């Protein structure tokens, strides 16, 4: 009888970058002969991939670990790992507070999981948080979807927004080479994937750290050049990218998106605040006028483009009037989607130390007001889909109604319609929209008519 495989369980919170990291670590564990398990309580190895963007992050880690630490008392060979941004931020502090941990590893060490585990299996407790050059991943990620996939193109962040932990947790920018990116996309195309989302914290900063300049003095490798370079990868029918920073968003990039049919007409460009004083205190490096010009340019080239963003309310010292400038920006632009958050002071960030913090009550009130406006504007934006025929890439069954399938429009609106998932998964189909809501749509598949040649 063969010995049963050791099982691993991965729990992930945080952004797409973290989810992509978890898929790569799952691939490494598969490669090492482990088997994945949904249930943490029967696993032999637990990996918690953490996020530190807002408060309570550390607290969540300790409460998640509590139960597993108790299990380890009965099962001493249980391996406990904390990865991701809290691991990077807290480092050895985590080991001191939870001595049962075997491995604490920052995001830059994702692709080294096998080496790190080998040290653990030799009986060591390991902390891997030093900055390193990120190696190319030679294993295959275990991807959650068989239709859409993430492809990292740039790691880290070189900005210094005064509220944000990411530069501390993810390190300096490191771009992958265009060839490595294209090779990964070609493999995805061969495996039957239809959509790729290129990922980076500031994706439009791609290539600044790669060698080479053009005769005009531009970087040789930019996101714009990369889009042209990977556009013809066969099998891949849609390309998305996120997140864009207004500081690096160029007209050249906008033109490329308009020109390249596979690039989805959806742009995620966080503005954070609609007030210039606040933007300056955040160290964002642009004004609301510049942000508005970027959106106007996008709409000039692609009138139907979807625009989404992130925004923070209740930044230290933000006055009622400054907050209203943010509302005005939301009102004027009319976002298809806006991720909003109340400012949260974070360890080792400048703004957390300022003495002009706002009360929780003011932050809560502003968050509620902006969210009301966001729903109204998103519902208005959804109206334009009514009656239209949209291309939808079918991803899955509707978990709430198994007679329906779901997918996304080019502009990233979630769309439901009647259909059989076994027939439609991974297909781009034409759907006539019959019902619109603020953040999703319902429609009916448009039958493809056979062309009959009459002699
Ligand atoms: N690199 C991207 C965003 C990365 S973090 C950019 O620069 O736009 C994702 C979002 O989390 C941010 O856009 C911001 O809106 C939010 N965020 C980051 N730090 C925060 C904090 N301290 N409090 C509240 N929200 C925060
Ligand atoms: Fe954080 Fe600013 Fe970097 Fe975005 S650009 S990850 S908000 S520091
Ligand atoms: Fe969170 Fe780290 Fe992403 S802090 S949002 S997981 S970069």
């Amino acid at each position: 009888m063969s010995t049963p495989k050791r099982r691993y369980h991965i729990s992930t919170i945080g952004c797409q970058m973290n989810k992509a990291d978890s898929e790569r670590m799952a691939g490494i564990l598969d490669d090492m002969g482990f088997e994945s398990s949904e249930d943490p309580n029967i696993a032999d190895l637990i990996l918690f991939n953490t996020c530190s963007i807002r408060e309570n992050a550390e607290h969540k880690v300790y409460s998640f670990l509590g139960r597993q630490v108790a299990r380890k008392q009965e099962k001493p060979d249980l391996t406990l790992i904390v990865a991701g941004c809290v691991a990077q931020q807290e480092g050895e502090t985590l080991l001191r507070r939870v001595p049962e941990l075997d491995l604490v590893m920052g995001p830059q060490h994702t692709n080294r999981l096998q080496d790190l585990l080998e040290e653990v299996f030799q009986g060591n407790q390991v902390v891997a948080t030093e900055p390193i050059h990120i190696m190319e991943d030679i294993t295959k990620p275990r991807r959650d979807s068989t239709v859409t996939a993430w492809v990292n193109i740039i790691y880290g962040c070189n900005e210094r927004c005064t509220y944000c932990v990411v530069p501390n947790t993810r390190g300096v920018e490191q771009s992958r080479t265009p060839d490595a990116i294209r090779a990964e996309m070609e493999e995805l195309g061969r495996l039957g994937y239809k959509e790729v989302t290129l990922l980076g914290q500031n994706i439009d900063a791609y290539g600044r750290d790669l060698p080479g300049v053009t005769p005009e003095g531009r970087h040789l490798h930019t996101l714009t050049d990369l889009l042209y370079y990977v556009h013809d990868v066969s099998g891949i029918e849609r390309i998305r990218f996120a997140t864009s920073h207004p500081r690096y968003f160029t007209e050249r990039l906008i033109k490329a998106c308009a020109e390249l049919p596979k690039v989805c007409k959806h742009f995620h460009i966080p503005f954070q605040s609609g007030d210039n004083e606040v933007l300056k205190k955040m160290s964002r490096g642009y004004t609301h006028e510049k942000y508005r010009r970027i959106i106007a340019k996008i709409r000039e080239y692609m009138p139907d483009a979807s625009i989404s963003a992130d925004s923070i309310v209740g930044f230290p010292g933000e006055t009622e009037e400054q907050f209203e400038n943010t509302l005005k920006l939301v009102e004027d632009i009319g976002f298809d989607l806006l991720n909003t958050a109340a400012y949260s002071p974070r360890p080792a960030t400048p703004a957390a130390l300022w003495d002009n913090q706002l009360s929780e009550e003011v932050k809560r009130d502003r968050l509620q007001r902006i969210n009301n406006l966001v729903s109204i504007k998103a519902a208005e934006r959804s109206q334009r889909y009514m009656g239209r025929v949209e291309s939808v890439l079918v991803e899955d069954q509707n978990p709430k109604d198994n007679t329906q399938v779901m997918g996304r429009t080019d502009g990233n609106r979630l769309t439901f319609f009647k259909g059989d998932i076994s027939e439609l998964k991974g297909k781009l189909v034409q759907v006539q929209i019959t019902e619109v809501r603020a953040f999703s749509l319902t429609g009916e598949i448009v039958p493809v008519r056979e062309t009959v040649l009459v002699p």
Side-chain angles (χ1 to χ4, degrees), residues 53-54 163 201-202 270 272 284 310 312 341-344 346:
I53 205 79
R54 287 195 275 277
Y163 51 82
Q201 274 302 351
N202 297 310
Q272 313 301 1
R284 288 290 292 181
D310 303 346
I312 298 176
Y343 167 74
S344 159
R346 305 301 299 127

Side-chain angles (χ1 to χ4, degrees), residues 130-169:
E130 69 283 7
I132 57 160
H133 173 74
I134 298 173
M135 298 186 301
E136 268 303 322
D137 181 17
I138 46 157
T139 54
K140 303 248 177 308
R142 177 197 179 92
R143 300 185 194 263
D144 285 343
S145 164
T146 53
V147 180
T148 63
W150 288 306
V151 172
N152 286 93
I153 71 163
I154 175 169
Y155 302 103
C157 172
N158 283 8
E159 304 298 307
R160 283 290 174 274
C161 303
T162 50
Y163 51 82
C164 184
V165 293
V166 173
N168 298 338
T169 64

Side-chain angles (χ1 to χ4, degrees), residues 9-14 17-18 21-22 25-26 29 45-52 57 61 64-65 80-91 94 101-111 113 116 126-129 169-170:
H9 171 83
I10 300 186
S11 241
T12 310
I13 50 176
M17 238 84 44
N18 242 26
D21 289 351
S22 284
M25 293 192 282
L29 291 167
L45 181 150
I46 306 273
L47 191 155
F48 190 22
N49 198 5
T50 60
C51 168
S52 170
V61 180
F64 176 91
L65 285 175
L80 293 182
I81 307 172
V82 178
C85 292
V86 175
Q88 182 65 40
Q89 180 188 290
E90 301 292 303
L94 270 167
L101 283 178
D102 296 287
L103 171 59
V104 174
M105 56 186 287
Q108 294 190 342
H109 293 261
T110 300
N111 297 350
L113 178 62
L116 298 171
V126 181
V127 178
T129 50
T169 64
R170 298 234 160 212

Side-chain angles (χ1 to χ4, degrees), residues 82 123 160 170 174 209 217 302 354 428-429:
V82 178
R160 283 290 174 274
R170 298 234 160 212
Q174 299 187 41
D209 56 320
M302 294 160 275
W354 300 346
L428 259 177
V429 293

